[in-house]
mmCIF file of all heavy atoms in Angstrom:
data_model
loop_
_atom_site.group_PDB
_atom_site.id
_atom_site.type_symbol
_atom_site.label_atom_id
_atom_site.label_comp_id
_atom_site.label_asym_id
_atom_site.label_seq_id
_atom_site.Cartn_x
_atom_site.Cartn_y
_atom_site.Cartn_z
ATOM 1 N N VAL A 10 0.857 -1.185 0.000
ATOM 2 C CA VAL A 10 0.000 0.000 0.000
ATOM 3 C C VAL A 10 0.889 1.230 0.000
ATOM 4 O O VAL A 10 1.861 1.303 0.765
ATOM 5 C CB VAL A 10 -0.925 0.019 1.237
ATOM 6 C CG1 VAL A 10 -1.708 1.328 1.303
ATOM 7 C CG2 VAL A 10 -1.873 -1.171 1.225
ATOM 8 N N ILE A 11 0.598 2.165 -0.880
ATOM 9 C CA ILE A 11 1.298 3.452 -0.903
ATOM 10 C C ILE A 11 0.321 4.511 -0.418
ATOM 11 O O ILE A 11 -0.755 4.683 -0.987
ATOM 12 C CB ILE A 11 1.811 3.786 -2.315
ATOM 13 C CG1 ILE A 11 2.812 2.727 -2.787
ATOM 14 C CG2 ILE A 11 2.447 5.179 -2.347
ATOM 15 C CD1 ILE A 11 3.324 2.939 -4.204
ATOM 16 N N TRP A 12 0.689 5.210 0.643
ATOM 17 C CA TRP A 12 -0.202 6.211 1.207
ATOM 18 C C TRP A 12 -0.127 7.484 0.369
ATOM 19 O O TRP A 12 0.970 7.946 0.006
ATOM 20 C CB TRP A 12 0.161 6.500 2.659
ATOM 21 C CG TRP A 12 -0.034 5.308 3.552
ATOM 22 C CD1 TRP A 12 -0.233 4.019 3.164
ATOM 23 C CD2 TRP A 12 -0.041 5.298 4.968
ATOM 24 N NE1 TRP A 12 -0.355 3.208 4.262
ATOM 25 C CE2 TRP A 12 -0.236 3.958 5.381
ATOM 26 C CE3 TRP A 12 0.122 6.279 5.937
ATOM 27 C CZ2 TRP A 12 -0.297 3.595 6.720
ATOM 28 C CZ3 TRP A 12 0.066 5.911 7.276
ATOM 29 C CH2 TRP A 12 -0.152 4.582 7.665
ATOM 30 N N THR A 13 -1.312 8.040 0.088
ATOM 31 C CA THR A 13 -1.401 9.194 -0.806
ATOM 32 C C THR A 13 -2.323 10.249 -0.206
ATOM 33 O O THR A 13 -3.099 9.987 0.711
ATOM 34 C CB THR A 13 -1.943 8.791 -2.192
ATOM 35 O OG1 THR A 13 -3.285 8.287 -2.047
ATOM 36 C CG2 THR A 13 -1.070 7.729 -2.840
ATOM 37 N N LYS A 14 -2.224 11.439 -0.784
ATOM 38 C CA LYS A 14 -3.109 12.552 -0.411
ATOM 39 C C LYS A 14 -3.556 13.264 -1.683
ATOM 40 O O LYS A 14 -2.739 13.552 -2.564
ATOM 41 C CB LYS A 14 -2.368 13.549 0.490
ATOM 42 C CG LYS A 14 -3.206 14.791 0.848
ATOM 43 C CD LYS A 14 -4.335 14.461 1.797
ATOM 44 C CE LYS A 14 -5.054 15.699 2.339
ATOM 45 N NZ LYS A 14 -5.841 16.397 1.299
ATOM 46 N N LYS A 15 -4.849 13.527 -1.773
ATOM 47 C CA LYS A 15 -5.375 14.265 -2.918
ATOM 48 C C LYS A 15 -4.852 15.697 -2.880
ATOM 49 O O LYS A 15 -4.953 16.379 -1.857
ATOM 50 C CB LYS A 15 -6.901 14.267 -2.891
ATOM 51 C CG LYS A 15 -7.535 14.911 -4.112
ATOM 52 C CD LYS A 15 -9.059 14.769 -4.060
ATOM 53 C CE LYS A 15 -9.704 15.389 -5.291
ATOM 54 N NZ LYS A 15 -11.182 15.241 -5.258
ATOM 55 N N VAL A 16 -4.292 16.172 -3.992
ATOM 56 C CA VAL A 16 -3.694 17.506 -4.045
ATOM 57 C C VAL A 16 -4.288 18.289 -5.216
ATOM 58 O O VAL A 16 -4.795 17.721 -6.187
ATOM 59 C CB VAL A 16 -2.155 17.428 -4.187
ATOM 60 C CG1 VAL A 16 -1.529 16.824 -2.937
ATOM 61 C CG2 VAL A 16 -1.752 16.632 -5.421
ATOM 62 N N LYS A 17 -4.202 19.613 -5.101
ATOM 63 C CA LYS A 17 -4.751 20.482 -6.146
ATOM 64 C C LYS A 17 -3.801 20.659 -7.325
ATOM 65 O O LYS A 17 -4.235 20.965 -8.430
ATOM 66 C CB LYS A 17 -5.095 21.851 -5.542
ATOM 67 C CG LYS A 17 -6.215 21.815 -4.513
ATOM 68 C CD LYS A 17 -6.494 23.208 -3.978
ATOM 69 C CE LYS A 17 -7.625 23.181 -2.946
ATOM 70 N NZ LYS A 17 -7.897 24.544 -2.388
ATOM 71 N N ASN A 18 -2.491 20.471 -7.076
ATOM 72 C CA ASN A 18 -1.500 20.694 -8.123
ATOM 73 C C ASN A 18 -0.613 19.465 -8.286
ATOM 74 O O ASN A 18 0.560 19.485 -7.902
ATOM 75 C CB ASN A 18 -0.654 21.933 -7.818
ATOM 76 C CG ASN A 18 -0.039 21.873 -6.419
ATOM 77 O OD1 ASN A 18 -0.577 21.250 -5.505
ATOM 78 N ND2 ASN A 18 1.101 22.525 -6.254
ATOM 79 N N PRO A 19 -1.145 18.374 -8.828
ATOM 80 C CA PRO A 19 -0.379 17.121 -8.913
ATOM 81 C C PRO A 19 0.895 17.226 -9.729
ATOM 82 O O PRO A 19 1.814 16.421 -9.547
ATOM 83 C CB PRO A 19 -1.366 16.140 -9.555
ATOM 84 C CG PRO A 19 -2.403 16.995 -10.217
ATOM 85 C CD PRO A 19 -2.505 18.231 -9.384
ATOM 86 N N GLU A 20 0.976 18.228 -10.585
ATOM 87 C CA GLU A 20 2.189 18.388 -11.396
ATOM 88 C C GLU A 20 3.414 18.713 -10.544
ATOM 89 O O GLU A 20 4.553 18.603 -11.022
ATOM 90 C CB GLU A 20 1.986 19.467 -12.460
ATOM 91 C CG GLU A 20 1.849 20.896 -11.943
ATOM 92 C CD GLU A 20 0.448 21.242 -11.431
ATOM 93 O OE1 GLU A 20 -0.441 20.362 -11.492
ATOM 94 O OE2 GLU A 20 0.250 22.393 -11.009
ATOM 95 N N ALA A 21 3.199 19.081 -9.301
ATOM 96 C CA ALA A 21 4.320 19.414 -8.411
ATOM 97 C C ALA A 21 4.782 18.220 -7.569
ATOM 98 O O ALA A 21 5.719 18.361 -6.787
ATOM 99 C CB ALA A 21 3.925 20.568 -7.490
ATOM 100 N N TYR A 22 4.146 17.072 -7.745
ATOM 101 C CA TYR A 22 4.419 15.928 -6.879
ATOM 102 C C TYR A 22 4.695 14.666 -7.693
ATOM 103 O O TYR A 22 4.452 14.617 -8.903
ATOM 104 C CB TYR A 22 3.210 15.664 -5.965
ATOM 105 C CG TYR A 22 2.854 16.797 -5.054
ATOM 106 C CD1 TYR A 22 1.932 17.771 -5.446
ATOM 107 C CD2 TYR A 22 3.434 16.921 -3.796
ATOM 108 C CE1 TYR A 22 1.600 18.819 -4.606
ATOM 109 C CE2 TYR A 22 3.102 17.960 -2.945
ATOM 110 C CZ TYR A 22 2.183 18.914 -3.356
ATOM 111 O OH TYR A 22 1.861 19.950 -2.526
ATOM 112 N N GLY A 23 5.143 13.635 -6.990
ATOM 113 C CA GLY A 23 5.086 12.296 -7.529
ATOM 114 C C GLY A 23 3.699 11.741 -7.275
ATOM 115 O O GLY A 23 3.189 11.827 -6.151
ATOM 116 N N VAL A 24 3.056 11.189 -8.291
ATOM 117 C CA VAL A 24 1.681 10.716 -8.158
ATOM 118 C C VAL A 24 1.579 9.256 -8.585
ATOM 119 O O VAL A 24 2.492 8.706 -9.213
ATOM 120 C CB VAL A 24 0.692 11.573 -8.981
ATOM 121 C CG1 VAL A 24 0.741 13.027 -8.534
ATOM 122 C CG2 VAL A 24 0.987 11.457 -10.472
ATOM 123 N N VAL A 25 0.439 8.637 -8.228
ATOM 124 C CA VAL A 25 0.187 7.262 -8.635
ATOM 125 C C VAL A 25 -0.772 7.241 -9.813
ATOM 126 O O VAL A 25 -1.670 8.079 -9.909
ATOM 127 C CB VAL A 25 -0.393 6.432 -7.472
ATOM 128 C CG1 VAL A 25 0.616 6.331 -6.333
ATOM 129 C CG2 VAL A 25 -1.709 7.006 -6.963
ATOM 130 N N ASN A 26 -0.562 6.280 -10.698
ATOM 131 C CA ASN A 26 -1.475 6.027 -11.808
ATOM 132 C C ASN A 26 -2.261 4.769 -11.472
ATOM 133 O O ASN A 26 -1.674 3.731 -11.143
ATOM 134 C CB ASN A 26 -0.684 5.846 -13.106
ATOM 135 C CG ASN A 26 -1.585 5.747 -14.319
ATOM 136 O OD1 ASN A 26 -2.785 6.008 -14.243
ATOM 137 N ND2 ASN A 26 -1.010 5.365 -15.457
ATOM 138 N N LEU A 27 -3.598 4.851 -11.517
ATOM 139 C CA LEU A 27 -4.465 3.763 -11.095
ATOM 140 C C LEU A 27 -5.170 3.125 -12.289
ATOM 141 O O LEU A 27 -5.507 3.808 -13.262
ATOM 142 C CB LEU A 27 -5.513 4.277 -10.104
ATOM 143 C CG LEU A 27 -4.998 4.999 -8.857
ATOM 144 C CD1 LEU A 27 -6.159 5.597 -8.071
ATOM 145 C CD2 LEU A 27 -4.195 4.056 -7.983
ATOM 146 N N ASN A 28 -5.435 1.808 -12.194
ATOM 147 C CA ASN A 28 -6.250 1.140 -13.213
ATOM 148 C C ASN A 28 -7.710 1.130 -12.777
ATOM 149 O O ASN A 28 -8.083 1.730 -11.757
ATOM 150 C CB ASN A 28 -5.720 -0.271 -13.490
ATOM 151 C CG ASN A 28 -5.822 -1.192 -12.279
ATOM 152 O OD1 ASN A 28 -6.522 -0.895 -11.308
ATOM 153 N ND2 ASN A 28 -5.133 -2.322 -12.342
ATOM 154 N N GLU A 29 -8.555 0.424 -13.529
ATOM 155 C CA GLU A 29 -9.983 0.428 -13.233
ATOM 156 C C GLU A 29 -10.323 -0.267 -11.917
ATOM 157 O O GLU A 29 -11.409 -0.083 -11.369
ATOM 158 C CB GLU A 29 -10.751 -0.249 -14.388
ATOM 159 C CG GLU A 29 -10.463 -1.731 -14.583
ATOM 160 C CD GLU A 29 -9.169 -2.002 -15.340
ATOM 161 O OE1 GLU A 29 -8.518 -1.007 -15.774
ATOM 162 O OE2 GLU A 29 -8.812 -3.178 -15.496
ATOM 163 N N LYS A 30 -9.385 -1.051 -11.384
ATOM 164 C CA LYS A 30 -9.586 -1.711 -10.092
ATOM 165 C C LYS A 30 -9.033 -0.869 -8.938
ATOM 166 O O LYS A 30 -8.971 -1.336 -7.803
ATOM 167 C CB LYS A 30 -8.905 -3.078 -10.087
ATOM 168 C CG LYS A 30 -9.428 -4.054 -11.115
ATOM 169 C CD LYS A 30 -8.637 -5.366 -11.031
ATOM 170 C CE LYS A 30 -9.091 -6.355 -12.079
ATOM 171 N NZ LYS A 30 -8.283 -7.614 -12.009
ATOM 172 N N ASN A 31 -8.636 0.354 -9.239
ATOM 173 C CA ASN A 31 -7.997 1.233 -8.247
ATOM 174 C C ASN A 31 -6.712 0.636 -7.698
ATOM 175 O O ASN A 31 -6.341 0.869 -6.545
ATOM 176 C CB ASN A 31 -8.951 1.586 -7.107
ATOM 177 C CG ASN A 31 -9.948 2.657 -7.501
ATOM 178 O OD1 ASN A 31 -9.623 3.569 -8.266
ATOM 179 N ND2 ASN A 31 -11.161 2.544 -7.009
ATOM 180 N N GLU A 32 -6.023 -0.119 -8.538
ATOM 181 C CA GLU A 32 -4.697 -0.629 -8.210
ATOM 182 C C GLU A 32 -3.648 0.293 -8.830
ATOM 183 O O GLU A 32 -3.858 0.832 -9.927
ATOM 184 C CB GLU A 32 -4.518 -2.046 -8.746
ATOM 185 C CG GLU A 32 -5.471 -3.055 -8.137
ATOM 186 C CD GLU A 32 -5.436 -4.402 -8.839
ATOM 187 O OE1 GLU A 32 -4.834 -4.485 -9.947
ATOM 188 O OE2 GLU A 32 -6.016 -5.360 -8.303
ATOM 189 N N ILE A 33 -2.549 0.473 -8.120
ATOM 190 C CA ILE A 33 -1.484 1.334 -8.634
ATOM 191 C C ILE A 33 -0.690 0.563 -9.686
ATOM 192 O O ILE A 33 -0.175 -0.524 -9.412
ATOM 193 C CB ILE A 33 -0.549 1.792 -7.508
ATOM 194 C CG1 ILE A 33 -1.341 2.519 -6.414
ATOM 195 C CG2 ILE A 33 0.558 2.699 -8.050
ATOM 196 C CD1 ILE A 33 -0.536 2.800 -5.159
ATOM 197 N N ILE A 34 -0.593 1.128 -10.863
ATOM 198 C CA ILE A 34 0.148 0.459 -11.931
ATOM 199 C C ILE A 34 1.396 1.243 -12.341
ATOM 200 O O ILE A 34 2.226 0.744 -13.103
ATOM 201 C CB ILE A 34 -0.739 0.238 -13.177
ATOM 202 C CG1 ILE A 34 -1.338 1.565 -13.664
ATOM 203 C CG2 ILE A 34 -1.839 -0.778 -12.864
ATOM 204 C CD1 ILE A 34 -2.101 1.454 -14.972
ATOM 205 N N GLU A 35 1.543 2.470 -11.797
ATOM 206 C CA GLU A 35 2.675 3.289 -12.222
ATOM 207 C C GLU A 35 2.900 4.409 -11.210
ATOM 208 O O GLU A 35 1.951 4.918 -10.601
ATOM 209 C CB GLU A 35 2.402 3.887 -13.609
ATOM 210 C CG GLU A 35 3.563 4.620 -14.242
ATOM 211 C CD GLU A 35 3.208 5.206 -15.602
ATOM 212 O OE1 GLU A 35 2.000 5.272 -15.935
ATOM 213 O OE2 GLU A 35 4.147 5.614 -16.319
ATOM 214 N N LEU A 36 4.158 4.778 -11.014
ATOM 215 C CA LEU A 36 4.533 5.966 -10.266
ATOM 216 C C LEU A 36 5.070 6.989 -11.250
ATOM 217 O O LEU A 36 5.971 6.680 -12.043
ATOM 218 C CB LEU A 36 5.594 5.641 -9.216
ATOM 219 C CG LEU A 36 5.222 4.608 -8.150
ATOM 220 C CD1 LEU A 36 6.428 4.319 -7.256
ATOM 221 C CD2 LEU A 36 4.041 5.075 -7.317
ATOM 222 N N VAL A 37 4.529 8.187 -11.202
ATOM 223 C CA VAL A 37 4.927 9.227 -12.158
ATOM 224 C C VAL A 37 5.389 10.448 -11.373
ATOM 225 O O VAL A 37 4.647 10.997 -10.557
ATOM 226 C CB VAL A 37 3.768 9.605 -13.099
ATOM 227 C CG1 VAL A 37 4.244 10.622 -14.134
ATOM 228 C CG2 VAL A 37 3.196 8.367 -13.775
ATOM 229 N N GLU A 38 6.611 10.883 -11.626
ATOM 230 C CA GLU A 38 7.187 12.021 -10.916
ATOM 231 C C GLU A 38 6.884 13.319 -11.648
ATOM 232 O O GLU A 38 7.227 13.484 -12.819
ATOM 233 C CB GLU A 38 8.700 11.844 -10.775
ATOM 234 C CG GLU A 38 9.392 12.899 -9.928
ATOM 235 C CD GLU A 38 8.979 12.854 -8.467
ATOM 236 O OE1 GLU A 38 8.580 11.766 -7.997
ATOM 237 O OE2 GLU A 38 9.060 13.909 -7.802
ATOM 238 N N LYS A 39 6.180 14.225 -10.986
ATOM 239 C CA LYS A 39 5.851 15.553 -11.506
ATOM 240 C C LYS A 39 5.341 15.483 -12.945
ATOM 241 O O LYS A 39 5.980 15.979 -13.881
ATOM 242 C CB LYS A 39 7.071 16.482 -11.401
ATOM 243 C CG LYS A 39 7.498 16.733 -9.964
ATOM 244 C CD LYS A 39 8.667 17.689 -9.856
ATOM 245 C CE LYS A 39 9.047 17.911 -8.393
ATOM 246 N NZ LYS A 39 10.199 18.824 -8.241
ATOM 247 N N PRO A 40 4.165 14.887 -13.155
ATOM 248 C CA PRO A 40 3.642 14.684 -14.517
ATOM 249 C C PRO A 40 3.314 16.000 -15.214
ATOM 250 O O PRO A 40 2.718 16.899 -14.626
ATOM 251 C CB PRO A 40 2.375 13.859 -14.277
ATOM 252 C CG PRO A 40 1.969 14.199 -12.878
ATOM 253 C CD PRO A 40 3.245 14.404 -12.110
ATOM 254 N N GLU A 41 3.708 16.100 -16.466
ATOM 255 C CA GLU A 41 3.402 17.301 -17.249
ATOM 256 C C GLU A 41 1.951 17.289 -17.731
ATOM 257 O O GLU A 41 1.357 18.342 -17.941
ATOM 258 C CB GLU A 41 4.364 17.398 -18.439
ATOM 259 C CG GLU A 41 5.817 17.610 -18.014
ATOM 260 C CD GLU A 41 6.748 17.770 -19.205
ATOM 261 O OE1 GLU A 41 6.252 17.763 -20.354
ATOM 262 O OE2 GLU A 41 7.960 17.911 -18.992
ATOM 263 N N THR A 42 1.397 16.098 -17.937
ATOM 264 C CA THR A 42 -0.020 15.959 -18.255
ATOM 265 C C THR A 42 -0.689 15.186 -17.115
ATOM 266 O O THR A 42 -0.046 14.408 -16.409
ATOM 267 C CB THR A 42 -0.230 15.215 -19.584
ATOM 268 O OG1 THR A 42 0.394 13.922 -19.504
ATOM 269 C CG2 THR A 42 0.391 15.992 -20.732
ATOM 270 N N PHE A 43 -1.991 15.368 -16.948
ATOM 271 C CA PHE A 43 -2.691 14.810 -15.788
ATOM 272 C C PHE A 43 -2.648 13.284 -15.787
ATOM 273 O O PHE A 43 -2.979 12.638 -16.784
ATOM 274 C CB PHE A 43 -4.137 15.285 -15.766
ATOM 275 C CG PHE A 43 -4.899 14.814 -14.546
ATOM 276 C CD1 PHE A 43 -4.777 15.480 -13.340
ATOM 277 C CD2 PHE A 43 -5.713 13.686 -14.619
ATOM 278 C CE1 PHE A 43 -5.462 15.051 -12.213
ATOM 279 C CE2 PHE A 43 -6.403 13.247 -13.492
ATOM 280 C CZ PHE A 43 -6.275 13.927 -12.297
ATOM 281 N N VAL A 44 -2.222 12.728 -14.660
ATOM 282 C CA VAL A 44 -2.225 11.284 -14.440
ATOM 283 C C VAL A 44 -3.225 10.943 -13.340
ATOM 284 O O VAL A 44 -4.103 10.105 -13.508
ATOM 285 C CB VAL A 44 -0.816 10.781 -14.058
ATOM 286 C CG1 VAL A 44 -0.847 9.309 -13.680
ATOM 287 C CG2 VAL A 44 0.170 11.032 -15.182
ATOM 288 N N SER A 45 -3.089 11.594 -12.197
ATOM 289 C CA SER A 45 -4.055 11.518 -11.103
ATOM 290 C C SER A 45 -3.750 12.659 -10.149
ATOM 291 O O SER A 45 -2.730 13.338 -10.277
ATOM 292 C CB SER A 45 -3.976 10.165 -10.382
ATOM 293 O OG SER A 45 -2.915 10.150 -9.438
ATOM 294 N N ASP A 46 -4.635 12.838 -9.190
ATOM 295 C CA ASP A 46 -4.408 13.885 -8.177
ATOM 296 C C ASP A 46 -4.014 13.276 -6.839
ATOM 297 O O ASP A 46 -4.096 13.936 -5.799
ATOM 298 C CB ASP A 46 -5.632 14.785 -8.025
ATOM 299 C CG ASP A 46 -6.893 14.018 -7.647
ATOM 300 O OD1 ASP A 46 -6.808 12.792 -7.402
ATOM 301 O OD2 ASP A 46 -7.973 14.640 -7.604
ATOM 302 N N GLN A 47 -3.551 12.016 -6.839
ATOM 303 C CA GLN A 47 -3.138 11.321 -5.627
ATOM 304 C C GLN A 47 -1.612 11.360 -5.504
ATOM 305 O O GLN A 47 -0.902 10.644 -6.207
ATOM 306 C CB GLN A 47 -3.637 9.875 -5.638
ATOM 307 C CG GLN A 47 -5.154 9.753 -5.629
ATOM 308 C CD GLN A 47 -5.775 10.330 -4.374
ATOM 309 O OE1 GLN A 47 -5.264 10.134 -3.267
ATOM 310 N NE2 GLN A 47 -6.879 11.048 -4.528
ATOM 311 N N ALA A 48 -1.121 12.216 -4.604
ATOM 312 C CA ALA A 48 0.314 12.410 -4.440
ATOM 313 C C ALA A 48 0.876 11.407 -3.442
ATOM 314 O O ALA A 48 0.265 11.115 -2.412
ATOM 315 C CB ALA A 48 0.613 13.832 -3.974
ATOM 316 N N VAL A 49 2.073 10.907 -3.734
ATOM 317 C CA VAL A 49 2.778 9.989 -2.841
ATOM 318 C C VAL A 49 3.386 10.798 -1.700
ATOM 319 O O VAL A 49 4.090 11.781 -1.931
ATOM 320 C CB VAL A 49 3.876 9.224 -3.608
ATOM 321 C CG1 VAL A 49 4.679 8.329 -2.662
ATOM 322 C CG2 VAL A 49 3.265 8.406 -4.744
ATOM 323 N N ILE A 50 3.141 10.379 -0.441
ATOM 324 C CA ILE A 50 3.586 11.182 0.699
ATOM 325 C C ILE A 50 4.804 10.597 1.410
ATOM 326 O O ILE A 50 5.316 11.193 2.354
ATOM 327 C CB ILE A 50 2.448 11.389 1.708
ATOM 328 C CG1 ILE A 50 2.100 10.085 2.421
ATOM 329 C CG2 ILE A 50 1.221 11.979 1.028
ATOM 330 C CD1 ILE A 50 1.143 10.283 3.594
ATOM 331 N N GLY A 51 5.266 9.411 0.971
ATOM 332 C CA GLY A 51 6.484 8.856 1.563
ATOM 333 C C GLY A 51 6.247 7.869 2.687
ATOM 334 O O GLY A 51 7.119 7.672 3.536
ATOM 335 N N ILE A 52 5.064 7.220 2.696
ATOM 336 C CA ILE A 52 4.766 6.173 3.669
ATOM 337 C C ILE A 52 4.231 4.970 2.906
ATOM 338 O O ILE A 52 3.306 5.106 2.085
ATOM 339 C CB ILE A 52 3.753 6.633 4.729
ATOM 340 C CG1 ILE A 52 4.231 7.920 5.408
ATOM 341 C CG2 ILE A 52 3.535 5.544 5.779
ATOM 342 C CD1 ILE A 52 3.251 8.488 6.423
ATOM 343 N N TYR A 53 4.794 3.786 3.179
ATOM 344 C CA TYR A 53 4.492 2.587 2.397
ATOM 345 C C TYR A 53 4.268 1.404 3.341
ATOM 346 O O TYR A 53 4.955 1.274 4.357
ATOM 347 C CB TYR A 53 5.663 2.226 1.473
ATOM 348 C CG TYR A 53 6.209 3.376 0.662
ATOM 349 C CD1 TYR A 53 7.127 4.283 1.217
ATOM 350 C CD2 TYR A 53 5.843 3.570 -0.662
ATOM 351 C CE1 TYR A 53 7.640 5.329 0.476
ATOM 352 C CE2 TYR A 53 6.357 4.617 -1.419
ATOM 353 C CZ TYR A 53 7.252 5.498 -0.839
ATOM 354 O OH TYR A 53 7.766 6.530 -1.575
ATOM 355 N N TYR A 54 3.329 0.519 2.968
ATOM 356 C CA TYR A 54 3.143 -0.754 3.671
ATOM 357 C C TYR A 54 3.488 -1.892 2.713
ATOM 358 O O TYR A 54 3.089 -1.870 1.536
ATOM 359 C CB TYR A 54 1.698 -0.907 4.142
ATOM 360 C CG TYR A 54 1.320 -2.327 4.477
ATOM 361 C CD1 TYR A 54 1.728 -2.918 5.677
ATOM 362 C CD2 TYR A 54 0.553 -3.095 3.594
ATOM 363 C CE1 TYR A 54 1.383 -4.228 5.984
ATOM 364 C CE2 TYR A 54 0.211 -4.401 3.890
ATOM 365 C CZ TYR A 54 0.623 -4.969 5.079
ATOM 366 O OH TYR A 54 0.294 -6.269 5.373
ATOM 367 N N PHE A 55 4.238 -2.870 3.222
ATOM 368 C CA PHE A 55 4.561 -4.061 2.439
ATOM 369 C C PHE A 55 4.143 -5.293 3.232
ATOM 370 O O PHE A 55 4.539 -5.454 4.397
ATOM 371 C CB PHE A 55 6.064 -4.119 2.128
ATOM 372 C CG PHE A 55 6.532 -2.982 1.270
ATOM 373 C CD1 PHE A 55 6.980 -1.792 1.858
ATOM 374 C CD2 PHE A 55 6.500 -3.064 -0.113
ATOM 375 C CE1 PHE A 55 7.392 -0.728 1.069
ATOM 376 C CE2 PHE A 55 6.910 -2.003 -0.903
ATOM 377 C CZ PHE A 55 7.366 -0.833 -0.316
#
């Protein structure tokens, strides 16, 4: 699990890309085009 926070300016953060099952399929650092508004905050569960 990657803990995230919804942000207004996702282009300034590393964000997660989700599939239709709401599973994370990609990490994108400071996306130039919209990927999602869920920013990675630096807390992870394995």
Side-chain angles (χ1 to χ4, degrees):
V10 174
I11 299 177
W12 296 13
T13 63
K14 176 71 171 69
K15 185 175 181 179
V16 294
K17 294 180 180 179
N18 53 332
E20 68 279 359
Y22 299 91
V24 301
V25 296
N26 187 11
L27 305 173
N28 64 15
E29 65 280 357
K30 299 178 182 178
N31 282 325
E32 297 171 348
I33 303 170
I34 56 174
E35 187 181 14
L36 300 175
V37 184
E38 186 66 26
K39 296 182 180 179
E41 295 183 2
T42 58
F43 184 81
V44 174
S45 82
D46 58 5
Q47 296 297 318
V49 176
I50 70 170
I52 306 177
Y53 312 82
Y54 162 77
F55 296 90

